[in-house]
Amino acid sequence: MTISRTKTRRWLLSFILVPTICILSGQAMAQEVRVGLHDAEPVAYREEGKPKGFAVEILEHIAKIEGWTLIWDYGTWTECVERLEQGEIDLLFPMMPTDERKLRFDFTSHGFFSTWGRVFAHPGSKIETITNLAGKTIAVVQGGIFNQEIRKITGRHNIQCQFAEFSTKTEALDALAEDRVDAAAIEGKAGYFYALHKENIQVTPIFFLHAVPHLAVKKGKNAEIIYALDHHLRSLKEDPGSIYYQSLERWIRSHPRFPDWGVWALCGGGGLLALFISFSVLLRFQVRTKTRALLNQNLQLHMEEGKREKAERESERLEGQLLRAQKMEAMGTLASGVAHDFSNLLTVISAHTTLLRQKAKKDEQVLSSLSVMDDAVKQATSLTRSLLTLSRKLPTVSRPVHLNALLETTSRMLRRIIPARIELSVTWPEEDLWTQGDETQLQQVLLNLALNARDAMPKVGKLRLNLDAHEDTSLHLKASSAATAHLTVEDTGTGMTDDVRERIFDPFYTTKPEDQGTGLGLACVKSILEEHNGHIAVESSPDMGSTFVVGLPLIAPPKISPGGEPEEECHVTRGNGEVILLAEDQQQIREVLTSFLSSLGYNIITVPNSKDLDHDFQRLKKEVRLLVLDVDLPQGNGLDFMKKIRLSGVETPAILISGSAHELGERLTEFTMLLTKPFELTELGELIHETLQQFSNPEAPE
C-alpha cells in the first residue's frame, strides 16, 4: 500500500513538472533576429549561400552570447533598406548614419571601423585629382552616401561628368572591370578588396568622404538589440585580444582569405608557402607605405582647397569694397558738379545783393531784406561746402572756429533728426573756446559721431554732447600747446566689443547692414582730426554704451569775431581807371562783375573764352594792369594761359577764380592770387586793390 502511494505521488509530481518545464523551455528558446545581408565585401557578403565577412563574425559572436538565432535575409542595398523600414527585418549593417537616415532609423553608438570613400579607375587612366573626373562616366551605388558626396563635390567644382547607378558595390566594380564606365566612387575597403582580384582596376589617390559604418534598426523598434550590441561592441573594443581585433586584422587589414582548397594547396606547397608569405609581407608593407603617401597627398589637396576657398572669400570681400568705393566716387563726382554750378548761382546772387545794398543807402526795410538774403546765401554756401566735402574736393579752410557756437548750431540741427525716444543733452562752458580749423569739417565730425550714437540706440536712450577745456595732453595731441578742448559724444547704446573697437576707424569697416552703412564715417572723422592736429579716443563695452572724446588744440580768441554783425555800408577802396581784363564764361557773373568793378572806377574789358582771352591780351597787354580769370573756361584753361604768358616773360598780376581753388596747388605761377567761389563783391574789390598795390610796388610787404 505504501509503494502504491509513492508511485501515485511520483506520477502526480511528473504530471505537474513536465508541463512547467516545457513552458519554461519555450520561454527560453533563442530569440530570432532577422538580419539584412547585402554585398559589402569584406565587411559582410554571401559566398556559396553562406554569410561571410568581418561584421558577420562579430555579429555571430554576440548572438551566441545573447542566445539569438540569426536569420539572414539577402538582397540588394536598396531592398534591405526598404525591408528594414517596413519592419520585415530587425537589423541591417553596415549603414552610415546621416541626418536624413536618423529620422528613419536608430543606430548603435559604436561603429565597426573607419573608412573613406575612394575613387577606383583603370591603370594608366591618369585620374589622380578630382578635376580629372571631368568628362568621365562614374559608377556609384544607388542610395549610398558616397554617391551623394561625389555628386556634391563635382557639382561644387563645376566638374561636368556622368553618373551610372548600380544596386550593389560589386555591380559597380564589375562595370568598371568590363570597361562600361571610366571610374567607380564607392566605399574604399570594399573596392580595395575587389581590386585585389582584378588586374585592370587600381585605387586612385582621391579620398572624398570619411565615414564610420554602424548597425541600424527601425526607428523606435528593437531598442534591446541596439543596447546589447553597444554593450558587446564596447567590451570587445576595450580588449586588444578580442575576436573584434582578430577579425579586423584578418578581414580588413590583411588580404582577403583564400578559399579552403587554396589553403590546403598552399600547405602542400611547403617551401613555396614560405616564399609567398615573404612576398605577401613585403607587398603589404609597400601597400601601406603607398597608402600613407596617398593619404598625405589627399590631405594636402584638402588643405589647398580650404586655402583657395578662403582666398575666394577674401576676393569677394575686396570686390565688395571696390564696388562701394566706386559708388562713393560716382556720388562725389556728381556732388562736385552740382556744387560747381551752385557756386556760380550763389556768386550772382551775392553780387547783386551787394549792389542793391549800395543803392539802398538807408532804406531800413530794403536793408533788412538784403540781410535775410545774405543769411540765405551763407547757408547755401555751407551746403555747397558740404557737397564738396562729400566729393573729397574741398580743402581745409583754416580760420578761427568758435567751438561754443559750433556745438550750439550742431545741436539745433541734431534736434531735428534725433528721434524723440532719445534724450539729447548739450552742455558747454561759459568761457569761449576757440580752435584753428575748418568749421564745416569739424561740424561733420560732430554729426558723424552723433548719428552713429543714434543708430546704436534702436529703442530708448540718452545722447550727451559736452564741451570743456583741459590742461593736459592725455589724448596725445600733435599740437605743441597743452591747452586742449574736449568734445565728448556719449551714448547709452549697444556698445562694442574689443575687436570691433580696434577696427572702427578702418575704411569700409561697418557693423551695420550692407544697405545702411558704408564704413567711411569714422574713417573720415579720423582723417579730418589728423588734418586739425587733433585726436580721438573711444571707450566702450557691450551693452554699456560708448564714449567718444575729440581733442582739439585751443587758440587765443581772435580780435574780431567772424560772426559779428556786418557793417551797414561796405567800404571798398576805389580804383583809378586801371585796365582789368576779365575772363568769365558765365554771362550773369560776367555782367555783374563788370558793373561792380566799373562802379569802383576800373576800366573793364571782358572776354567769354580762352581764345578771345589770348587774342585780346596780346593786343592790349601793355595797357592791361590786372587779369581776373575763371579757371574753367571754354576752349582752354585759365591756369594754362597764365603758365603760357609767364613762360614768355609777362609779369602782369592775376587773380584766378575757382570753385575748388585747392586743386591748383603748386601749379600757380608767380604774381598770381586765388579767390574761391562763391565770394562777395567787396571781397573781390579788396583783393583787386591789394594785388595792384602789392605787385605794382615791389617794396610792398608780402
Side-chain angles (χ1 to χ4, degrees):
M1 186 68 178
T2 303
I3 295 174
S4 177
R5 288 179 179 178
T6 301
K7 290 182 179 180
T8 302
R9 285 197 298 268
R10 290 178 179 175
W11 181 84
L12 289 174
L13 184 60
S14 300
F15 181 78
I16 295 172
L17 291 177
V18 169
T20 303
I21 294 172
C22 291
I23 293 172
L24 293 176
S25 299
Q27 292 179 345
M29 288 178 62
Q31 178 184 355
E32 290 186 353
V33 178
R34 302 186 65 86
V35 185
L37 179 65
H38 59 93
D39 283 335
E41 193 175 5
V43 180
Y45 64 101
R46 186 176 63 174
E47 182 178 280
E48 297 178 357
K50 296 181 180 180
K52 289 190 176 184
F54 164 67
V56 172
E57 287 188 359
I58 302 301
L59 192 57
E60 287 179 341
H61 173 79
I62 295 174
K64 183 177 179 181
I65 298 174
E66 290 291 327
W68 297 340
T69 298
L70 301 181
I71 300 176
W72 302 95
D73 195 340
Y74 183 78
T76 65
W77 161 255
T78 304
E79 291 171 346
C80 288
V81 172
E82 291 177 353
R83 292 170 187 170
L84 181 62
E85 193 166 18
Q86 294 172 4
E88 296 177 3
I89 59 176
D90 303 310
L91 185 65
L92 177 61
F93 71 96
M95 180 184 286
M96 315 296 180
T98 65
D99 291 339
E100 184 273 333
R101 290 175 179 174
K102 289 178 181 178
L103 298 176
R104 302 153 54 198
F105 309 107
D106 290 328
F107 294 86
T108 55
S109 300
H110 292 272
F112 265 85
F113 53 86
S114 177
T115 187
W116 285 82
R118 298 295 300 270
V119 174
F120 296 84
H122 300 120
S125 63
K126 297 183 179 180
I127 296 178
E128 297 180 351
T129 66
I130 200 73
T131 56
N132 296 143
L133 297 178
K136 306 295 185 183
T137 300
I138 306 170
V140 293
V141 178
Q142 182 180 9
I145 62 170
F146 298 108
N147 178 0
Q148 299 171 7
E149 184 66 19
I150 195 67
R151 289 176 184 268
K152 290 179 183 178
I153 294 174
T154 55
R156 185 164 61 243
H157 293 277
N158 295 321
I159 298 172
Q160 302 297 323
C161 56
Q162 302 293 325
F163 292 95
E165 292 191 339
F166 296 90
S167 299
T168 66
K169 301 182 185 74
T170 302
E171 291 179 4
L173 291 167
D174 286 342
L176 177 61
E178 296 167 5
D179 291 332
R180 287 183 282 141
V181 295
D182 301 304
I186 62 170
E187 189 272 319
K189 288 182 170 59
Y192 177 69
F193 191 91
Y194 183 95
L196 290 175
H197 303 281
K198 302 290 183 179
E199 294 182 356
N200 63 338
I201 295 180
Q202 69 175 16
V203 62
T204 71
I206 303 175
F207 294 76
F208 62 89
L209 177 65
H210 177 259
V212 178
H214 292 244
L215 293 106
V217 299
K218 185 178 179 180
K219 190 71 175 180
K221 302 290 184 180
N222 297 318
E224 70 282 359
I225 295 179
I226 290 293
Y227 176 81
L229 290 172
D230 272 328
H231 171 73
H232 289 292
L233 283 174
R234 180 172 59 252
S235 299
L236 291 172
K237 287 185 175 182
E238 290 174 353
D239 181 8
S242 69
I243 189 176
Y244 173 85
Y245 291 102
Q246 296 174 15
S247 295
L248 183 67
E249 182 68 25
R250 183 164 57 254
W251 287 101
I252 304 299
R253 296 177 179 171
S254 301
H255 297 314
R257 296 189 303 174
F258 291 103
D260 294 340
W261 61 266
V263 175
W264 286 108
L266 286 176
C267 290
L272 187 60
L273 174 61
L275 178 62
F276 281 155
I277 291 176
S278 300
F279 176 76
S280 174
V281 172
L282 178 61
L283 180 61
R284 184 189 307 172
F285 174 77
Q286 292 176 341
V287 168
R288 289 181 178 177
T289 302
K290 184 63 175 178
T291 300
R292 281 195 298 269
L294 294 176
L295 179 59
N296 291 335
Q297 182 182 1
N298 189 69
L299 292 176
Q300 184 67 28
L301 291 174
H302 279 293
M303 293 175 60
E304 292 177 358
E305 181 180 356
K307 293 179 180 178
R308 183 170 60 253
E309 291 177 352
K310 182 178 180 181
E312 290 174 354
R313 290 193 297 270
E314 179 66 12
S315 176
E316 291 175 357
R317 186 183 67 83
L318 293 176
E319 287 176 2
Q321 288 189 358
L322 176 60
L323 180 60
R324 290 194 293 272
Q326 291 172 341
K327 289 181 180 178
M328 291 298 296
E329 182 180 2
M331 286 182 61
T333 302
L334 176 62
S336 177
V338 172
H340 178 270
D341 293 340
F342 205 33
S343 295
N344 288 334
L345 297 175
L346 290 175
T347 300
V348 174
I349 296 173
S350 177
H352 281 287
T353 303
T354 302
L355 294 177
L356 288 174
R357 181 176 286 105
Q358 291 177 347
K359 295 179 180 180
K361 300 299 182 182
K362 296 183 178 181
D363 190 330
E364 297 296 334
Q365 185 175 0
V366 174
L367 290 175
S368 177
S369 297
L370 291 175
S371 296
V372 174
M373 292 177 64
D374 281 336
D375 291 340
V377 169
K378 290 178 180 178
Q379 292 180 14
T381 301
S382 177
L383 175 60
T384 303
R385 291 176 62 79
S386 297
L387 288 173
L388 289 172
T389 300
L390 174 65
S391 65
R392 307 295 190 269
K393 294 188 176 182
L394 182 67
T396 300
V397 179
S398 182
R399 59 176 58 139
V401 178
H402 189 199
L403 292 176
N404 307 59
L406 174 68
L407 183 57
E408 182 181 8
T409 302
T410 305
S411 65
R412 287 201 304 268
M413 185 182 305
L414 287 173
R415 293 186 192 279
R416 295 194 294 269
I417 58 178
I418 296 294
R421 69 174 184 273
I422 297 176
E423 179 183 337
L424 176 63
S425 62
V426 185
T427 56
W428 59 81
E430 294 183 0
E431 62 174 320
D432 291 332
L433 301 181
W434 293 79
T435 191
Q436 189 77 15
D438 189 301
E439 183 173 358
T440 300
Q441 293 190 6
L442 291 178
Q443 186 178 62
Q444 191 68 44
V445 168
L446 278 176
L447 286 173
N448 282 1
L449 294 176
L451 293 178
N452 275 353
R454 176 201 64 183
D455 295 340
M457 295 182 286
K459 298 180 180 179
V460 297
K462 294 181 180 180
L463 174 59
R464 185 176 73 90
L465 305 182
N466 179 66
L467 171 66
D468 53 14
H470 287 259
E471 295 292 335
D472 59 67
T473 56
S474 59
L475 292 178
H476 309 288
L477 301 179
K478 299 178 182 178
S480 58
S481 172
T484 63
H486 284 190
L487 280 165
T488 304
V489 180
E490 182 179 3
D491 66 72
T492 58
T494 56
M496 295 176 281
T497 63
D498 292 342
D499 293 339
V500 172
R501 191 173 65 250
E502 290 177 359
R503 297 189 58 191
I504 55 175
F505 296 108
D506 294 346
F508 299 110
Y509 178 76
T510 179
T511 58
K512 299 178 183 178
E514 187 173 352
D515 59 343
Q516 295 182 18
T518 63
L520 294 174
L522 291 178
C524 290
V525 165
K526 184 178 181 182
S527 176
I528 291 172
L529 292 176
E530 287 176 349
E531 291 183 6
H532 287 75
N533 293 325
H535 196 73
I536 185 170
V538 57
E539 293 182 0
S540 182
S541 298
D543 301 322
M544 299 296 291
S546 301
T547 301
F548 288 83
V549 181
V550 172
L552 293 168
L554 288 173
I555 63 171
K559 296 180 180 180
I560 301 177
S561 173
E565 292 294 329
E567 299 179 2
E568 291 186 1
E569 297 183 10
C570 41
H571 300 285
V572 181
T573 306
R574 296 180 58 81
N576 191 25
E578 292 91 341
V579 177
I580 298 177
L581 181 56
L582 171 64
E584 170 61 58
D585 61 318
Q586 297 292 326
Q587 182 178 353
Q588 292 177 326
I589 299 177
R590 190 167 64 246
E591 290 176 352
V592 72
L593 294 184
T594 301
S595 175
F596 173 70
L597 295 177
S598 297
S599 69
L600 293 180
Y602 296 109
N603 185 6
I604 307 300
I605 301 172
T606 63
V607 292
N609 54 57
S610 294
K611 182 178 180 181
D612 292 345
L613 171 63
D614 187 54
H615 178 269
D616 287 6
F617 181 74
Q618 295 300 330
R619 182 171 57 87
L620 302 170
K621 62 182 176 181
K622 292 183 179 181
E623 291 82 7
V624 173
R625 292 285 308 281
L626 178 67
L627 293 166
V628 179
L629 312 178
D630 190 357
V631 172
D632 188 12
L633 290 173
Q635 303 177 8
N637 181 286
L639 190 64
D640 293 339
F641 173 78
M642 290 304 306
K643 182 178 180 180
K644 173 183 175 183
I645 65 172
R646 292 288 185 255
L647 290 175
S648 66
V650 176
E651 298 181 354
T652 304
I655 297 175
L656 290 179
I657 301 175
S658 173
S660 52
H662 73 289
E663 293 182 344
L664 305 180
E666 298 179 355
R667 300 174 61 194
L668 293 177
T669 59
E670 194 177 1
F671 309 111
T672 304
M673 306 295 286
L674 288 177
L675 183 61
T676 303
K677 292 180 182 178
F679 55 85
E680 295 184 2
L681 290 181
T682 54
E683 185 181 0
L684 174 62
E686 285 302 318
L687 183 60
I688 288 176
H689 174 72
E690 293 174 4
T691 304
L692 288 173
Q693 290 295 315
Q694 179 178 355
F695 296 115
S696 298
N697 182 9
E699 297 180 359
E702 296 185 0

